[in-house]
Amino acid sequence: DQQVKQNSPSLSVQEGRISILNCDYTNSMFDYFLWYKKYPAEGPTFLISISSIKDKNEDGRFTVFLNKSAKHLSLHIVPSQPGDSAVYFCAASDPSNSGYALNFGKGTSLLVTP
Amino acid sequence: EPEVTQTPSHQVTQMGQEVILRCVPISNHLYFYWYRQILGQKVEFLVSFYNNEISEKSEIFDDQFSVERPDGSNFTLKIRSTKLEDSAMYFCASSESGIQPQHFGDGTRLSIL
């Protein structure tokens, strides 16, 4: 049961341009969303989060947008750098679950080319 | 920057044997989690732990699994009788509170032969 979907398995972007990674969710109870970056042989690294009371959150080169009516969020990276090449995971949390379990998407592999 | 550490990085075990995966969460964090990622699949939640008890567990976390915080720093996942399908990367995570971001360790690759 895929409650969090990342429909693009991969994305290639030129250095300096914008990278846009997309994520859709089906569970309307989700109210906290996170993006993680993962390099091979490492664990997921937290990037940025957003709660459902906001529609945008910005941290440096990273901005997350949330469209609750469309059940869609996106991560923008501007400008993209070669070091951003990694797998990006979208994750969501349902507050009705007392354990704060994160539901992950399958990830999008981003390649930033010089 | 504080980080979650996991040992061992790779564990090879015969099917049917018990295995214990160890984690040291970030010191001021109060919530602890285990996730797993089977090769080629998404990261899946196993269990969360707060105040010395399980607060949530998934369907994957059956009677073969248990978690423990044996002292003030370690958090362990035990698989009592391993099966071939338990082969996966196991990630430990911790957070200050339930609504704060979870920070992950680099994982333990568990290979069941």
Coordinates of all heavy atoms in Angstrom, one line a residue, chain A residues 1-2 32 34 36 38 42-44 46 89 97-102 104-106, chain B residues 31 33 35 37 42-43 45 48 55-56 91 98-106:
Chain A
D1 N 0.8 -1.2 0.0 CA 0.0 0.0 0.0 C 0.9 1.2 0.0 O 1.5 1.6 1.0 CB -0.9 0.0 1.2 CG -1.8 1.2 1.3 OD1 -2.0 1.8 0.2 OD2 -2.2 1.6 2.4
Q2 N 1.0 1.9 -1.2 CA 1.9 3.0 -1.3 C 1.1 4.3 -0.9 O 0.4 4.9 -1.7 CB 2.3 3.1 -2.8 CG 3.4 2.2 -3.1 CD 4.8 2.7 -2.6 OE1 5.2 3.8 -2.9 NE2 5.4 1.9 -1.8
Y32 N 2.7 16.0 8.6 CA 4.1 16.4 8.8 C 4.9 15.7 7.7 O 4.7 14.5 7.6 CB 4.5 16.1 10.2 CG 5.9 16.5 10.5 CD1 6.4 17.8 10.4 CD2 6.8 15.5 11.0 CE1 7.7 18.1 10.8 CE2 8.1 15.9 11.4 CZ 8.5 17.2 11.2 OH 9.8 17.6 11.6
L34 N 8.6 15.4 5.4 CA 10.0 15.6 5.4 C 10.7 15.1 4.1 O 10.2 14.2 3.5 CB 10.6 14.8 6.6 CG 10.0 14.9 8.0 CD1 8.9 13.9 8.2 CD2 11.1 14.8 9.1
Y36 N 14.4 13.7 2.9 CA 15.7 13.1 3.3 C 16.6 12.9 2.0 O 16.1 12.6 0.9 CB 15.6 11.8 4.0 CG 15.1 11.9 5.4 CD1 13.7 11.9 5.7 CD2 15.9 11.9 6.5 CE1 13.2 12.0 7.0 CE2 15.5 12.0 7.8 CZ 14.1 12.0 8.0 OH 13.6 12.1 9.3
K38 N 20.0 10.7 0.6 CA 20.7 9.5 1.0 C 21.8 9.2 0.0 O 21.6 9.1 -1.2 CB 19.8 8.3 1.1 CG 20.5 7.0 1.6 CD 19.6 5.9 1.7 CE 20.3 4.6 2.3 NZ 21.4 4.2 1.5
E42 N 25.2 5.1 3.3 CA 24.9 6.0 4.4 C 23.5 5.9 4.7 O 22.6 5.5 3.9 CB 25.4 7.4 4.1 CG 26.9 7.6 4.0 CD 27.2 9.0 3.8 OE1 26.4 9.9 4.0 OE2 28.4 9.3 3.5
G43 N 23.1 6.4 5.9 CA 21.7 6.5 6.3 C 21.1 7.7 5.7 O 21.8 8.6 5.2
P44 N 19.7 7.8 5.7 CA 19.1 9.0 5.2 C 19.5 10.2 6.1 O 19.5 10.1 7.3 CB 17.6 8.7 5.4 CG 17.5 7.2 5.4 CD 18.8 6.8 6.1
F46 N 18.4 14.1 7.1 CA 17.3 15.0 7.1 C 17.7 16.3 6.4 O 18.8 16.9 6.6 CB 16.9 15.3 8.5 CG 15.9 16.5 8.6 CD1 14.6 16.3 8.2 CD2 16.3 17.7 9.1 CE1 13.7 17.4 8.3 CE2 15.5 18.8 9.2 CZ 14.2 18.6 8.8
F89 N 14.4 11.1 -0.6 CA 13.2 10.4 -0.1 C 12.2 11.4 0.5 O 12.6 12.3 1.3 CB 13.5 9.4 1.0 CG 14.3 8.2 0.5 CD1 15.6 8.2 0.6 CD2 13.6 7.1 -0.1 CE1 16.4 7.1 0.2 CE2 14.3 6.0 -0.6 CZ 15.7 6.0 -0.4
N97 N -1.2 8.3 14.8 CA -0.3 7.2 15.2 C 0.6 7.7 16.3 O 1.4 8.5 16.1 CB 0.5 6.6 14.0 CG -0.4 6.0 13.0 OD1 -1.4 5.4 13.3 ND2 0.0 6.1 11.7
S98 N 0.5 7.1 17.5 CA 1.2 7.6 18.6 C 2.7 7.5 18.5 O 3.5 8.1 19.2 CB 0.7 6.9 19.9 OG 0.9 5.5 19.7
G99 N 3.2 6.6 17.6 CA 4.6 6.4 17.5 C 5.3 7.2 16.5 O 6.5 7.0 16.4
Y100 N 4.6 8.1 15.8 CA 5.3 9.0 14.8 C 6.0 8.3 13.7 O 7.1 8.7 13.2 CB 6.2 10.0 15.6 CG 5.5 10.7 16.6 CD1 5.6 10.4 18.0 CD2 4.7 11.9 16.3 CE1 4.9 11.0 19.0 CE2 4.0 12.5 17.3 CZ 4.1 12.1 18.6 OH 3.5 12.8 19.6
A101 N 5.5 7.1 13.3 CA 6.1 6.4 12.2 C 6.2 7.2 10.9 O 5.2 7.9 10.6 CB 5.4 5.1 11.9
L102 N 7.3 7.1 10.3 CA 7.4 7.8 9.0 C 7.1 6.8 7.8 O 7.6 5.7 7.9 CB 8.8 8.4 8.8 CG 9.3 9.5 9.7 CD1 10.7 9.9 9.3 CD2 8.3 10.7 9.5
F104 N 7.6 6.3 4.0 CA 8.6 6.8 2.9 C 8.1 6.5 1.5 O 7.4 5.5 1.3 CB 9.9 6.1 3.1 CG 10.8 6.7 4.2 CD1 10.6 6.3 5.5 CD2 11.7 7.6 3.9 CE1 11.4 6.8 6.5 CE2 12.5 8.2 4.9 CZ 12.4 7.8 6.2
G105 N 8.5 7.3 0.6 CA 8.4 7.0 -0.8 C 9.5 6.2 -1.2 O 10.5 5.9 -0.4
K106 N 9.5 5.7 -2.5 CA 10.6 4.9 -3.0 C 11.9 5.6 -3.3 O 12.9 5.0 -3.6 CB 10.1 4.0 -4.2 CG 9.1 2.9 -3.8 CD 8.8 2.1 -5.0 CE 8.0 0.9 -4.6 NZ 7.7 0.0 -5.7
Chain B
Y31 N 13.0 9.8 21.6 CA 12.2 8.9 20.8 C 13.2 8.1 19.9 O 14.1 8.6 19.4 CB 11.2 9.6 19.9 CG 10.1 10.2 20.7 CD1 10.2 11.4 21.4 CD2 8.8 9.6 20.6 CE1 9.2 11.9 22.1 CE2 7.7 10.2 21.3 CZ 7.9 11.3 22.0 OH 6.9 11.9 22.7
Y33 N 13.7 4.7 17.0 CA 13.0 4.0 16.0 C 13.9 3.0 15.3 O 15.1 3.2 15.3 CB 12.5 5.0 14.9 CG 11.8 6.3 15.4 CD1 12.6 7.3 15.8 CD2 10.5 6.4 15.5 CE1 12.0 8.5 16.3 CE2 9.9 7.5 15.9 CZ 10.6 8.6 16.3 OH 10.0 9.7 16.8
Y35 N 13.9 1.1 11.4 CA 13.4 1.0 10.1 C 14.2 -0.1 9.3 O 15.3 -0.4 9.8 CB 13.5 2.3 9.3 CG 12.6 3.4 9.8 CD1 12.9 4.2 10.9 CD2 11.4 3.7 9.2 CE1 12.1 5.2 11.4 CE2 10.5 4.7 9.6 CZ 10.9 5.4 10.7 OH 10.1 6.5 11.2
Q37 N 15.2 -1.5 5.1 CA 15.1 -1.3 3.7 C 15.6 -2.6 3.0 O 16.8 -2.8 3.0 CB 15.9 -0.1 3.2 CG 15.6 0.2 1.7 CD 16.4 1.5 1.3 OE1 17.4 1.8 1.8 NE2 15.8 2.1 0.2
K42 N 11.4 0.3 -0.6 CA 11.4 1.6 0.2 C 11.8 1.3 1.6 O 11.8 0.2 2.1 CB 10.0 2.2 0.1 CG 8.9 1.4 0.8 CD 7.6 2.2 0.8 CE 6.6 1.4 1.6 NZ 5.4 2.2 1.9
V43 N 12.1 2.4 2.3 CA 12.4 2.3 3.7 C 11.1 2.0 4.5 O 10.1 2.7 4.2 CB 13.0 3.6 4.2 CG1 13.2 3.5 5.7 CG2 14.4 3.8 3.5
F45 N 8.9 1.3 8.2 CA 8.9 1.5 9.6 C 8.7 0.1 10.3 O 7.9 -0.7 9.9 CB 7.8 2.4 10.0 CG 7.5 2.4 11.5 CD1 8.3 3.1 12.3 CD2 6.3 1.8 12.0 CE1 8.0 3.2 13.7 CE2 6.0 1.8 13.3 CZ 6.8 2.5 14.2
S48 N 8.6 2.1 17.0 CA 9.0 3.3 17.8 C 9.0 3.0 19.3 O 8.2 2.2 19.7 CB 8.2 4.5 17.4 OG 6.9 4.2 17.6
S55 N 5.8 2.4 21.5 CA 4.7 3.2 21.3 C 3.9 2.9 20.0 O 2.7 3.2 19.9 CB 5.1 4.7 21.3 OG 6.3 4.9 20.5
E56 N 4.6 2.3 19.0 CA 3.9 1.9 17.8 C 4.8 0.8 17.1 O 6.0 0.9 17.2 CB 3.8 3.1 16.8 CG 3.0 2.8 15.6 CD 2.9 4.0 14.6 OE1 3.3 5.1 15.0 OE2 2.3 3.8 13.6
F91 N 18.0 0.4 9.8 CA 18.3 1.8 10.2 C 17.7 2.1 11.6 O 16.5 1.9 11.8 CB 17.8 2.8 9.2 CG 18.5 2.8 7.9 CD1 17.8 2.3 6.8 CD2 19.8 3.2 7.7 CE1 18.4 2.2 5.5 CE2 20.4 3.1 6.5 CZ 19.7 2.6 5.4
G98 N 8.3 13.7 19.3 CA 7.6 13.0 18.2 C 7.5 13.8 16.9 O 7.5 13.3 15.8
I99 N 7.4 15.1 17.1 CA 7.1 16.0 15.9 C 8.4 16.6 15.4 O 8.4 17.4 14.5 CB 6.1 17.0 16.2 CG1 6.6 17.9 17.4 CG2 4.7 16.4 16.4 CD1 5.7 19.1 17.6
Q100 N 9.5 16.2 15.9 CA 10.8 16.7 15.4 C 11.4 15.7 14.4 O 11.0 14.5 14.4 CB 11.8 16.9 16.6 CG 11.5 18.0 17.5 CD 11.6 19.3 16.9 OE1 12.5 19.6 16.1 NE2 10.6 20.2 17.1
P101 N 12.2 16.2 13.5 CA 12.8 15.3 12.5 C 13.5 14.1 13.1 O 14.2 14.3 14.2 CB 13.8 16.2 11.7 CG 13.3 17.6 11.9 CD 12.7 17.6 13.3
Q102 N 13.4 13.0 12.5 CA 14.2 11.8 12.9 C 15.5 11.8 12.2 O 15.6 12.0 11.0 CB 13.4 10.5 12.6 CG 12.0 10.5 13.3 CD 11.2 9.3 12.9 OE1 11.7 8.3 12.4 NE2 9.9 9.4 13.2
H103 N 16.5 11.5 13.0 CA 17.9 11.4 12.5 C 18.3 10.0 12.5 O 18.2 9.3 13.5 CB 18.8 12.3 13.4 CG 18.5 13.8 13.3 ND1 19.0 14.6 12.4 CD2 17.6 14.5 14.1 CE1 18.5 15.8 12.6 NE2 17.6 15.8 13.6
F104 N 18.9 9.6 11.3 CA 19.2 8.2 11.1 C 20.7 7.9 11.2 O 21.5 8.7 10.9 CB 18.7 7.8 9.7 CG 17.3 7.7 9.5 CD1 16.4 8.8 9.5 CD2 16.7 6.4 9.4 CE1 15.1 8.7 9.3 CE2 15.3 6.3 9.3 CZ 14.5 7.4 9.2
G105 N 20.9 6.7 11.6 CA 22.3 6.1 11.6 C 22.6 5.6 10.2 O 21.7 5.6 9.3
D106 N 23.8 5.1 10.0 CA 24.2 4.6 8.6 C 23.8 3.2 8.4 O 24.0 2.7 7.3 CB 25.7 4.8 8.5 CG 26.2 6.2 8.2 OD1 25.3 7.0 7.8 OD2 27.4 6.5 8.5

